[in-house]
Amino acid sequence: MAAARHLRSGLPLLRAHLASSESAAVAQVSRGFASQPAKPTGKDIKVPEALYGGTGNYASALFLTAAKANSLDKIESEIKTVVEASKKSPLFSQFIKDLSVPKGTRVKAVTEIFADAGFSDVTKNFLAVLADNGRLKYIERIAERFVDLTMAHKGEVKVVVRTVIPLPEKEEKELKDTLQDILGKNKTILVEQKIDYSIMGGLVIEFGQKVFDMSIRTRAKQMEAFLRQPLEF
């Protein structure tokens, strides 16, 4: 299969690409993937990686609060439920985006809705703060960044592989083994495959801040740029 051939030929390149900047790159990635303490205390709880911007600040604050309450998994589940609700319910989606709704009405509605749903105090209070500050419309992005923090806290590394056809099990294992060697045996590699016809073939691997592009689309662009260069005689 084409994807398999591209992966087999690309894995040595991936290893070399990562190893060439190992001390800098691995240090950068590792900072975001600290192992999770069994019973965190107020002194040793910290955000596993720095997030910036408004959504990053909210996600970091939620992470610290949830970690101190030993409720990271529960809070993550509840926040994901809110995001799913916003996707499935046009009315709820419109509500969280409509800033014309008075602040008091937003806060009251959110508090009552999620109290009835049996949500934890941490999640209810967090959503009330978002409603009060007019930031509920960013809940999906905040949730994504919060999940990034919980994964980093547990030593999990999410790897997104884009191909035009599903990656065979054998090639997926080869990829995971290669990344495991680079990132360390104490990391849990989670591979998410995505079908992306726009890459035209080959594959694109993304994890942390790294992108390893072995797509036919990119190679075609590189070839086009090369052919457009003036000839020297």
Side-chain angles (χ1 to χ4, degrees):
M1 297 173 69
R5 290 197 300 271
H6 276 287
L7 181 58
R8 282 194 291 271
S9 64
L11 282 177
L13 295 174
L14 174 61
R15 187 185 295 275
H17 173 74
L18 294 174
S20 65
S21 56
E22 183 173 0
S23 55
V26 173
Q28 178 185 10
V29 174
S30 297
R31 281 196 295 271
F33 300 101
S35 58
Q36 181 180 20
K39 292 183 179 181
T41 64
K43 293 183 179 180
D44 55 24
I45 291 177
K46 59 182 180 180
V47 178
E49 60 183 13
L51 299 182
Y52 302 99
T55 57
N57 292 336
Y58 279 111
S60 298
L62 179 60
F63 174 86
L64 290 173
T65 305
K68 291 175 182 177
N70 285 319
S71 301
L72 280 172
D73 290 341
K74 181 175 177 57
I75 304 305
E76 180 179 339
S77 176
E78 292 175 345
I79 290 296
K80 286 181 176 179
T81 298
V82 177
V83 173
E84 285 304 308
S86 71
K87 292 179 178 179
K88 293 180 179 179
S89 171
L91 181 61
F92 181 62
S93 177
Q94 178 61 30
F95 169 75
I96 66 176
K97 295 175 182 177
D98 188 358
L99 295 182
S100 67
V101 177
K103 181 188 300 186
T105 301
R106 287 200 306 267
V107 174
K108 185 175 184 294
V110 165
T111 302
E112 291 178 353
I113 289 171
F114 295 107
D116 291 342
F119 277 25
S120 64
D121 288 341
V122 170
T123 302
K124 286 187 297 183
N125 292 339
F126 179 72
L127 294 173
V129 169
L130 293 184
D132 188 54
N133 293 337
R135 295 294 184 269
L136 270 177
K137 61 181 179 179
Y138 301 117
I139 185 61
E140 184 172 356
R141 181 57 179 153
I142 292 171
E144 289 174 353
R145 306 193 80 180
F146 175 73
V147 171
D148 287 342
L149 291 176
T150 60
M151 288 181 64
H153 185 61
K154 293 181 284 189
E156 297 175 346
V157 183
K158 181 179 178 180
V159 180
V160 177
V161 181
R162 300 181 185 276
T163 58
V164 295
I165 58 174
L167 197 64
E169 184 177 344
K170 180 180 178 181
E171 279 68 39
E172 180 180 335
K173 183 178 184 304
E174 288 183 37
L175 173 61
K176 290 179 70 173
D177 290 344
T178 297
L179 290 171
Q180 200 80 67
D181 289 342
I182 297 297
L183 296 174
K185 299 299 182 182
N186 62 328
K187 304 295 184 284
T188 301
I189 309 297
L190 305 176
V191 175
E192 177 183 350
Q193 294 192 43
K194 292 187 176 181
I195 301 301
D196 184 354
Y197 296 113
S198 71
I199 70 173
M200 300 169 62
L203 70 166
V204 178
I205 301 169
E206 305 171 34
F207 70 96
Q209 302 300 314
K210 296 289 182 181
V211 177
F212 191 68
D213 192 336
M214 295 181 285
S215 68
I216 289 178
R217 178 184 62 188
T218 295
R219 292 185 181 184
K221 288 181 179 179
Q222 292 171 343
M223 179 62 72
E224 180 183 1
F226 174 75
L227 293 174
R228 287 182 180 278
Q229 293 178 3
L231 294 176
E232 295 182 3
F233 297 97

